[in-house]
Amino acid sequence: MEGYTCIDKVESFEDGDMDNYKVNGYDILLSCVSGDFYAVEAICTHEYAELADGDLEDYFVTCPLHFACFDVRDGSVKDPPATKSLQTFEVRVEDNLIWISNSPKEVRT
Amino acid sequence: MNINEQYIIIGAGVSGVNAAATLRFEGFEGRVILIDKDHEFPYDRPPLSKDYLSGKIKEEDISLRAHEFFEKNNIELKLGKKVIDIDFDDQYIKLDDNEVIPWDKVLIAMGSKLRRLKIPGRELDNIYYLKTKKDAQQMKKDLKYVDDVVIIGAGFIGSEVAATCRQLGKKVTLIEAETVPLSKILGDYVGNFISDIHHSNGVRLLTNELVTEFKGTKKIEQVVTNTGKQIECQAVVVGVGVELDLSLFDGTKIKVEDGIEVDEYCESNIPGVFASGDCALWPYNGERIRVEHWNHAMNQGITAAKNMMNGKSEIYNTIPYFWSDQHDLKIQYLGFSKDWEKTVLRGSLEKQEFTMFYLNDNKIVSALFVNNPRNVLPTRKFMMRNTKIENISNLADEKRNIKKAFK
Ligand SMILES: Cc1cc2nc3c(=O)[nH]c(=O)nc-3n(C[C@H](O)[C@H](O)[C@H](O)COP(=O)(O)OP(=O)(O)OC[C@H]3O[C@@H](n4cnc5c(N)ncnc54)[C@H](O)[C@@H]3O)c2cc1C
Ligand code: FES
């Protein structure tokens, strides 16, 4: 798939799972919610912490360091202290394989 | 809504700034005036003992908000102005330039100040207290010309400064009055672990020593202890805890003890007068506590702001939390406890990756995480539920997913 990188099989994921991947130099957090996949940047925008060490509940991932919370669907901030959204990446599933776009959806404002 | 009202926030630390921001995000349309005696644009304190002091991050990285944020959100910042009087009957404050500003509601987010050592020689140069950006800048500048640093107090800030000074290549002596550092909140076992970490990182740790005198001609040259030790140095950093200055409220009707007493809505005994952050004494688990933690200051400021707008609409309910970075340790701590019946260790001290649970009556009253961020949020969720652990040994079993141990 042009512009995408295949990272794993769908079966490797259960609902509520999160995992880190490196795609085209980007550190990406892939989460699985209600059978759908969402990819956002893997590092909190507040200071520095890996979101994969945090907690995913529904569509919301909480950072383990100061508990900022983001919506994995659009990267938006739900709880402070973060004030900047996470970058998001398009995910496609084909033939039971998960593909993540090589570049973020749009440049963060 | 509240368009003709005027809210004043005293203190533009993390608590006051978040309160002001929340008022706007939640749609408050009246005037918001944020006052601080500090001249600096609102900044964050935790980096002052860590990456800002070491030079890893720059001044712009420690701003609490971008400069344009306040103007864009119509928050009137008054910097370099100290509140010197507050009248709760006629509802006004007075600033040190004699400006008088009336308020409809006020949030007191004045923070705390560092306890000073009142011992001979305290007026010598190169004795530092680290609270403000200016303190950190001065220290950074002066440390360049210093080889030997003495740090007094092996609490969290003292330990962080010790670690940062080691990074900067200084010879560091850390002096602690207790036998084991941090044992009061972490116990001897973990306290000894922290001591070992200091030793292995080249910090000379002296415990059971009280500093009794500073010696020198103009600058500090020697620190003297109660056992007669004389330690040569060119700089001293004091981190012996914080205290409050509540003299502003002397003779007023606001209820003050070791902090400004507030209820679960962050409101004091005077309706319309709120307090948050380091200076607030707030209800937690059946007692009133005061903590000097960053997350608490932020979150209580946010909840206070919501309750200022919509009276008693949101309860402040949290588990106290702080983090600390020392040497290669990422430390995180949840809860509040001075005593406990049992501890359970999950992980390994040798690997420097573990969680220590502190329990009373089979409830987790606090937990310490060392290089173990994954356990923090599951533990926090469980503590929020305030329930007993059914099988304590499960907590220690690393093969069992921590979330399952909490089922
Ligand atoms: C060096 C350092 C490192 C720290 N590291 C950590 C850490 O790693 N983790 C953690 O959880 N916590 C840490 N803390 C604690 C944390 O920073 C505080 O809990 C937090 O800053 C409290 O916020 P606050 O808004 O309540 O008070 P403050 O940040 O103290 O802000 C209060 C403000 O009120 C102003 N003020 C006071 N009186 C007046 C007056 N009369 N008129 C006008 N203005 C006034 C002060 O100038 C000040 O700017 C650290 C603190 C320091 C100093
Ligand atoms: S680093 Fe994620 S909230 Fe601070």
Side-chain angles (χ1 to χ4, degrees):
Chain A
M1 205 180 300
E2 179 110 32
Y4 285 74
T5 303
C6 181
I7 52 97
D8 217 331
K9 293 197 197 92
V10 170
E11 303 89 81
S12 319
F13 277 85
E14 275 179 36
D15 245 16
D17 281 353
M18 300 188 274
D19 221 334
N20 282 332
Y21 293 92
K22 197 141 195 138
V23 173
N24 190 26
Y26 291 99
D27 288 311
I28 290 179
L29 176 82
L30 186 74
S31 18
C32 175
V33 186
S34 309
D36 288 323
F37 292 94
Y38 303 92
V40 295
E41 61 180 299
I43 306 298
C44 183
T45 61
H46 174 234
E47 280 173 12
Y48 185 92
E50 290 188 20
L51 294 171
D53 288 336
D55 183 60
L56 180 68
E57 194 170 298
D58 276 341
Y59 296 101
F60 305 105
V61 61
T62 302
C63 172
L65 189 49
H66 314 113
F67 313 142
C69 180
F70 303 90
D71 188 328
V72 294
R73 290 169 296 189
D74 59 5
S76 62
V77 177
K78 190 169 161 269
D79 285 329
T83 52
K84 250 190 269 168
S85 308
L86 295 169
Q87 288 184 318
T88 56
F89 297 77
E90 188 79 41
V91 183
R92 289 199 187 162
V93 175
E94 238 179 59
D95 299 331
N96 265 337
L97 293 174
I98 307 166
W99 298 74
I100 298 181
S101 167
N102 291 339
S103 24
K105 272 186 195 160
E106 63 216 46
V107 179
R108 181 161 70 205
T109 48
Chain B
M1 190 176 65
N2 346 60
I3 193 154
N4 296 316
E5 289 199 355
Q6 178 151 315
Y7 290 0
I8 285 182
I9 299 170
I10 308 175
V14 66
S15 204
V17 165
N18 276 285
T22 302
L23 287 174
R24 287 302 182 226
F25 293 154
E26 298 285 318
F28 178 69
E29 291 179 333
R31 263 180 95 179
V32 177
I33 305 168
L34 179 59
I35 303 167
D36 205 297
K37 63 177 165 43
D38 201 324
H39 291 263
E40 295 285 333
F41 200 80
Y43 57 89
D44 212 7
R45 293 185 203 282
L48 298 182
S49 51
K50 310 177 182 77
D51 289 353
Y52 183 67
L53 188 63
S54 72
K56 258 192 224 149
I57 61 173
K58 300 261 160 320
E59 198 169 334
E60 54 273 22
D61 299 323
I62 68 167
S63 289
L64 279 169
R65 288 288 186 286
H67 276 230
E68 56 281 8
F69 176 86
F70 296 91
E71 216 183 285
K72 230 164 83 189
N73 286 287
N74 197 12
I75 294 165
E76 296 170 50
L77 251 187
K78 284 185 185 287
L79 297 176
K81 312 270 183 205
K82 183 173 180 181
V83 177
I84 54 164
D85 193 13
I86 182 159
D87 191 312
F88 293 112
D89 293 316
D90 295 336
Q91 301 192 189
Y92 66 82
I93 56 157
K94 196 170 158 192
L95 304 181
D96 55 356
D97 60 0
N98 283 325
E99 190 184 357
V100 170
I101 314 173
W103 46 262
D104 295 293
K105 286 180 188 166
V106 64
L107 173 65
I108 303 163
M110 292 175 23
S112 56
K113 60 176 204 171
L114 297 179
R115 207 159 71 73
R116 303 241 150 199
L117 282 180
K118 298 186 182 79
I119 57 173
R122 59 179 177 272
E123 68 293 336
L124 288 171
D125 285 348
N126 284 26
I127 299 174
Y128 305 93
Y129 289 82
L130 185 54
K131 179 75 179 183
T132 65
K133 186 156 137 190
K134 216 168 148 203
D135 296 336
Q137 283 167 339
Q138 189 65 45
M139 244 176 95
K140 246 167 100 162
K141 215 166 96 200
D142 298 350
L143 279 178
K144 285 191 194 132
Y145 311 101
V146 161
D147 294 320
D148 307 270
V149 184
V150 168
I151 293 153
I152 305 174
F156 287 100
I157 293 187
S159 297
E160 288 182 355
V161 174
T164 304
C165 285
R166 286 298 300 147
Q167 275 180 36
L168 295 171
K170 311 292 167 197
K171 289 195 201 112
V172 177
T173 306
L174 179 58
I175 304 181
E176 168 59 41
E178 300 285 329
T179 317
V180 180
L182 298 169
S183 62
K184 276 192 188 141
I185 67 159
L186 303 181
D188 284 356
Y189 190 62
V190 178
N192 282 321
F193 164 79
I194 307 256
S195 304
D196 292 346
I197 296 290
H198 281 310
H199 288 305
S200 59
N201 282 280
V203 174
R204 177 179 170 218
L205 175 66
L206 304 177
T207 57
N208 254 326
E209 298 274 350
L210 280 174
V211 174
T212 51
E213 192 182 349
F214 295 130
K215 280 191 178 163
T217 37
K218 188 168 179 298
K219 290 184 182 169
I220 181 86
E221 288 166 23
Q222 259 179 7
V223 169
V224 184
T225 72
N226 61 333
T227 64
K229 289 203 174 65
Q230 310 213 343
I231 303 146
E232 308 286 326
C233 62
Q234 302 88 46
V236 167
V237 187
V238 186
V240 292
V242 311
E243 58 188 16
L244 295 191
D245 177 5
L246 299 170
S247 54
L248 184 59
F249 309 109
D250 287 350
T252 68
K253 62 187 184 186
I254 192 165
K255 232 173 139 186
V256 163
E257 249 180 68
D258 177 33
I260 299 160
E261 263 193 51
V262 295
D263 62 14
E264 64 273 40
Y265 302 100
C266 321
E267 197 163 14
S268 73
N269 62 313
I270 305 173
V273 176
F274 295 76
S276 64
D278 279 11
C279 68
L281 191 64
W282 52 284
Y284 176 72
N285 266 354
E287 52 180 332
R288 264 178 215 276
I289 65 169
R290 193 166 63 73
V291 295
E292 297 113 27
H293 305 336
W294 189 90
N295 276 76
H296 157 72
M298 171 180 76
N299 289 325
Q300 199 178 28
I302 290 172
T303 305
K306 290 179 181 165
N307 288 318
M308 284 170 94
M309 288 177 63
N310 307 305
K312 301 206 188 296
S313 55
E314 193 172 298
I315 285 182
Y316 181 61
N317 177 23
T318 195
I319 307 284
Y321 166 79
F322 67 83
W323 79 98
S324 174
D325 304 333
Q326 304 169 17
H327 306 291
D328 293 327
L329 305 186
K330 296 264 174 214
I331 296 174
Q332 296 175 271
Y333 180 89
L334 278 171
F336 182 87
S337 65
K338 296 187 208 88
D339 45 55
W340 50 84
E341 291 163 359
K342 258 188 230 136
T343 56
V344 175
L345 176 69
R346 182 184 173 95
S348 131
L349 267 63
E350 293 77 54
K351 283 195 201 138
Q352 301 183 8
E353 191 178 316
F354 65 89
T355 299
M356 182 68 99
F357 297 99
Y358 300 82
L359 298 111
N360 258 341
D361 192 21
N362 284 12
K363 277 185 186 171
I364 298 175
V365 286
S366 54
L368 173 79
F369 309 84
V370 172
N371 294 333
N372 220 185
R374 264 178 196 262
N375 289 348
V376 174
L377 287 163
T379 305
R380 183 172 183 253
K381 259 190 190 164
F382 182 77
M383 288 173 75
M384 286 281 211
R385 274 162 41 200
N386 195 21
T387 46
K388 292 191 186 185
I389 294 263
E390 303 228 333
N391 187 344
I392 289 187
S393 56
N394 283 352
L395 269 184
D397 181 1
E398 279 192 279
K399 285 188 215 86
R400 192 183 291 262
N401 183 324
I402 188 154
K403 289 183 186 159
K404 294 208 173 107
F406 289 141
K407 280 276 150 65

